[in-house]
Amino acid sequence: MGFICAGNWKLNKGPKEANEFFEDFQAKAQGLLLSDFAIYPSAFSLYTVSQELREKGFNWGAQNIYWESSGAFTGENSVEILKEMGATQCLVGHSERRALFGETNEQTAQKMLALANQGITPVLCVGETLQERKSGQTNAVITSQLREALKGWNANNSFWLAYEPVWAIGTGEVATPQQAEEAHQVLRAELEKLLAEKSKKTPILYGGSVKPENAFELAKMPNVDGFLIGGASLKVDFFRQIYQQGTKAKQSS
Ligand code: 13P
């Protein structure tokens, strides 16, 4: 695996725009290692994306999931249905889910387990608010979000981890490379504590206002294994440029 570039489209792009994105991406994808990429479209565009990406090695999946497989749960989507569509991954615990929809640490743990049971890789998001950073709680908050989400976790299962400081999401204010590296080091150490040797296979992505202009410096940090990109993942050219900057930074360090 090279430098990971994952795009969280949030509530953007219906099926038509999703289709256009992948037509454009594929036209410009020569020489790119598709397994370094991931996209999380809105639920209603997942079927279209499944038609574009099935069996291509590109990682893709939902932005949220429910842990029950079926039943009277109006409005929810299950891991089983996601799997049937051919998805390989799913976001868990994004800060917008936590802040706007009340997602708890207990729920992130349930989602992690439900996904792992079906062989879908969770992409767990953790991150502190500005207030938490200012009051010196960053490390405590992110390690506790990680520990809580891994309750009952079997170390043989794989997942990706994303550090997304809430104050840097969609604000244009990006963490400095040092801030990102420090948080990633803390998370890496916590992963080692929780999962021992097996923790080494978990990549840690940085997310929060990643753009082509700041990608190189962030990607130079030894513990930044990739990015989780919101706004800039909506444009094929930005997404590709970020990947190129990330790959170049890793090759030069
Ligand atoms: P932005 O890149 O738009 O700041 O969003 C980051 C994010 O939340 C990705 O999950």
Side-chain angles (χ1 to χ4, degrees):
M1 192 184 277
F3 189 80
I4 299 170
C5 237
N8 172 9
W9 281 354
K10 309 192 179 184
L11 187 41
N12 294 290
K13 289 197 196 296
K16 185 167 168 287
E17 279 187 56
N19 207 27
E20 286 163 5
F21 179 94
F22 283 108
E23 272 170 21
D24 191 16
F25 185 87
Q26 268 155 25
K28 296 170 177 168
Q30 286 82 5
L32 302 182
L33 187 59
L34 293 187
S35 57
D36 287 347
F37 289 91
I39 285 280
Y40 315 106
S42 90
F44 288 172
S45 296
L46 278 172
Y47 182 74
T48 300
V49 169
S50 77
Q51 301 302 298
E52 296 279 349
L53 297 184
R54 225 174 221 276
E55 317 285 330
K56 293 230 167 78
F58 200 114
N59 304 286
W60 64 276
Q63 298 168 9
N64 182 38
I65 204 72
Y66 192 51
W67 52 85
E68 295 288 351
S69 55
S70 62
F73 304 106
T74 302
E76 294 297 325
N77 292 294
S78 72
V79 182
E80 283 73 4
I81 295 174
L82 190 62
K83 188 174 170 151
E84 185 183 328
M85 284 202 289
T88 54
Q89 296 192 325
C90 184
L91 294 180
V92 174
H94 189 278
S95 68
E96 285 148 21
R97 300 280 339 150
R98 294 178 192 260
L100 304 174
F101 303 101
E103 188 161 320
T104 63
N105 282 327
E106 290 71 35
Q107 291 171 340
T108 62
Q110 275 174 290
K111 292 176 186 197
M112 297 283 290
L113 294 179
L115 288 160
N117 281 340
Q118 294 295 328
I120 301 220
T121 306
V123 180
L124 172 68
C125 305
V126 299
E128 81 289 359
T129 62
L130 187 57
Q131 200 186 4
E132 287 162 346
R133 173 162 284 269
K134 282 189 172 156
S135 57
Q137 291 174 274
T138 298
N139 296 351
V141 168
I142 60 178
T143 52
S144 121
Q145 286 174 338
L146 175 61
R147 264 195 318 274
E148 296 287 320
L150 291 184
K151 281 215 168 123
W153 185 255
N154 177 341
N156 290 319
N157 290 324
S158 309
F159 73 106
W160 291 3
L161 180 60
Y163 168 61
E164 298 207 306
V166 178
W167 48 271
I169 294 179
T171 56
E173 190 177 339
V174 63
T176 64
Q178 292 69 30
Q179 284 171 323
E181 175 63 15
E182 203 179 302
H184 284 221
Q185 277 175 12
V186 166
L187 290 168
R188 177 64 59 208
E190 191 67 23
L191 278 173
E192 268 168 34
K193 239 197 269 173
L194 295 166
L195 307 174
E197 264 305 290
K198 300 271 166 56
S199 67
K200 297 215 170 88
K201 64 183 185 197
T202 304
I204 309 181
L205 318 183
Y206 167 78
S209 298
V210 175
K211 303 274 178 299
E213 307 84 67
N214 55 34
F216 185 84
E217 293 303 321
L218 284 162
K220 269 208 317 214
M221 297 295 111
N223 283 288
V224 174
D225 303 313
F227 294 135
L228 180 54
I229 309 153
S233 72
L234 296 170
K235 294 217 159 55
V236 170
D237 288 340
F238 288 169
F239 198 46
R240 262 184 59 239
Q241 283 163 24
I242 290 172
Y243 176 72
Q244 281 158 349
Q245 292 298 321
T247 307
K248 200 164 82 181
K250 284 299 180 218
Q251 283 161 356
S252 72
S253 55

